[in-house]
Amino acid sequence: MNVLSVQSHRTQLVITALSACLITSTLFAAYNVYTRRQRRRNLNNDTLRSITVHKQAPQSGFLMADEAPVKETYIRANGISGYDEDLIKEQLARNYAFFGDESMARVRAGSVVVVGCGGVGSWAAVMLVRSGVSKIRLIDFDYVTLSSLNRHATATLSDVGTPKVGCIERTLKQISRWVEVDSRVEIWRKEDGGNLLEGADWVIDAIDNITTKVDLLQYCHEHNIKVFSSMGASAKSDPTRIQISDISYTIYDPLARSVRRRLRLEGISSGIPVVYSTEVPGDVKLLPLPEEEFQRGDVKELGVFDDFRVRVLPVIGPLPCLFGLYIATYVICEMAQKPISNPLPIKNRRKLYERLLRDLLHRESKLVGEQINKLPIDEDDVALIFEDLHLGRSIVPPHNVPARPQLLRWDLTKPLTPENCVVFEFGEAEKHAKECFGIGDAKERRRPVDVWGDEVQSVVEKNAAEVAKYRAWVGL
């Protein structure tokens, strides 16, 4: 009996202990559920109160176009003191899962300055804040117009006539309760640019004007401020051609070409990451300007500000949006110290262009019977010929992708230019050199059209017309 009593007593103790643990766990879980619900209830009340205050207050702290200007930009307060850290981490949960705690701490501690808050800059700013950036300065002198609405990230009809930085600030504070936004309705100028860039870990250049863009990039380079620059998104429609690269690797982009040349004059040849498109625009022209504007004099003198454009190129909204998203992605990864490595298209294709140019130089040297040091075309032209004109395929039907591509002059009686250069497979190139150039045991030279036919000749002529459009686009 004693043995049975002892065992029964032990069983009762075990059951009691398990019951106590179960009750404690239940109470603890219930408390956590209650606490979370209470936090959500408080957040909901704060949000409703903020919306009520927002409806009673002016649309933004910025002046409308018909109001008198003030000396300082007014930024409407968030109206809420403090924000629970658990809720911040819940809002940024996907970013924390991707980067980890240490990297996200760097992102949240970073400060970014966005210069130019139009189609590109507005999207970059929104995604930076959505990704955890807690300090951001917005700089733009411009106001929202009806034509801004096809590409701006935050502007609505009610924002027309108000500063672009104002509507971005409003949206950022609706997205992130803890973000610090410093909005400046100003033009960045190199004379006093240091004040606007003070404390920046990264600067985003989304400026349209070439002179101001170059000044900003030069200032950041000389003062060791990290900067990312956007090239031209206008007149483009192919999202697959958008790339991130160093400024020294850009091709086909007229804005990048001008910026690259001006920076080289200042002793800066590389070291600035950019987003740009390798797309060669089709039939796009400057938006028309009324004839009476031309009668007033030089169109360049019609701008409100020196060096700022009067006529603009057409643009579809998704392209500047994508440029801004590319920028935000790059900057966030850099701030998290998990940078994007050298982009694959740039790394692989550059070597291909170098080889094609080297082989072409060798063939041209054989034609003249002496070593040529430099050809009249460069790697940018090679990329244009190979990628855009021939789409990486042989000019000879059925236009297969060559295993060993070669560039060759088409008509020996004409100089080597992008219009007079075609893509062959190696065997086709050997045939062309033999029959059209008279290399080898060929008795006489034949015309290319006689060797390859009218169909190939028509492709060459079509490509020459495309090159003419490209020359007009880049101003050559």
Side-chain angles (χ1 to χ4, degrees), residues 5 22 41 65 143 152 158 164 169 210 243 245 263 266 320 409-410 435:
S5 298
L22 180 62
R41 191 177 297 113
Y143 284 66
H152 200 275
S158 61
K164 291 180 178 179
E169 178 190 345
I210 296 178
Q243 292 188 347
S245 77
L263 287 175
E266 303 298 333
R409 193 191 307 203
W410 174 251
E435 300 195 26

Side-chain angles (χ1 to χ4, degrees), residues 180-437:
E180 298 177 20
V181 185
D182 179 11
S183 299
R184 306 291 186 93
V185 187
E186 300 181 38
I187 299 177
W188 188 91
R189 296 189 185 279
K190 61 181 179 181
E191 292 80 9
D192 54 357
N195 295 330
L196 293 176
L197 305 183
E198 184 178 359
D201 295 303
W202 271 92
V203 172
I204 293 175
D205 158 41
I207 305 172
D208 291 329
N209 174 255
I210 296 178
T211 301
T212 308
K213 179 182 287 288
V214 172
D215 286 342
L216 175 62
L217 296 179
Q218 181 183 355
Y219 184 93
C220 291
H221 188 272
E222 292 176 348
H223 291 80
N224 295 319
I225 301 174
K226 296 178 181 178
V227 61
F228 191 105
S229 182
S230 172
M231 297 293 110
S234 299
K236 309 289 180 71
S237 61
D238 186 353
T240 66
R241 296 299 188 95
I242 302 174
Q243 292 188 347
I244 291 175
S245 77
D246 187 88
I247 183 69
S248 60
Y249 288 132
T250 54
I251 55 176
Y252 303 160
D253 189 318
L255 178 59
R257 187 166 176 263
S258 298
V259 171
R260 192 173 64 235
R261 287 183 173 181
R262 295 195 187 192
L263 287 175
R264 283 176 179 171
L265 294 176
E266 303 298 333
I268 303 171
S269 59
S270 63
I272 298 175
V274 303
V275 59
Y276 78 106
S277 172
T278 63
E279 179 184 0
V280 177
D283 297 325
V284 292
K285 298 179 181 179
L286 288 168
L287 296 181
L289 199 65
E291 183 62 31
E292 55 268 22
E293 298 293 348
F294 287 97
Q295 295 175 358
R296 295 181 184 180
D298 189 355
V299 174
K300 294 180 180 179
E301 297 177 359
L302 301 180
V304 178
F305 299 100
D306 293 340
D307 300 323
F308 275 79
R309 62 188 185 184
V310 176
R311 301 182 64 188
V312 295
L313 282 164
V315 58
I316 58 174
L319 267 293
C321 162
L322 290 172
F323 273 50
L325 300 184
Y326 273 56
I327 294 172
T329 303
Y330 185 94
V331 171
I332 292 165
C333 289
E334 288 286 333
M335 294 175 71
Q337 293 187 10
K338 292 189 177 181
I340 300 171
S341 58
N342 191 27
L344 189 61
I346 294 296
K347 181 171 60 177
N348 286 353
R349 286 301 193 184
R350 182 61 60 174
K351 293 181 180 178
L352 172 62
Y353 304 152
E354 291 174 354
R355 185 183 66 76
L356 289 172
L357 190 62
R358 185 170 59 250
D359 291 348
L360 179 60
L361 177 64
H362 177 69
R363 289 185 180 273
E364 288 291 316
S365 297
K366 288 180 65 176
L367 280 177
V368 300
E370 61 182 34
Q371 180 61 40
I372 299 175
N373 294 323
K374 187 176 181 180
L375 292 172
I377 64 175
D378 56 20
E379 289 181 12
D380 287 1
D381 297 319
V382 169
L384 172 68
I385 296 166
F386 187 78
E387 304 284 5
D388 290 273
L389 299 182
H390 294 81
L391 304 179
R393 296 175 178 271
S394 169
I395 197 169
V396 179
H399 309 292
N400 294 321
V401 176
R404 189 179 173 185
Q406 298 282 300
L407 293 184
L408 210 60
R409 193 191 307 203
W410 174 251
D411 189 344
L412 189 60
T413 64
K414 298 178 181 179
L416 177 64
T417 62
E419 295 93 329
N420 192 35
C421 190
V422 298
V423 176
F424 285 120
E425 173 60 83
F426 182 79
E428 297 164 347
E430 291 294 303
K431 176 181 177 180
H432 188 82
K434 177 181 178 180
E435 300 195 26
C436 299
F437 298 169

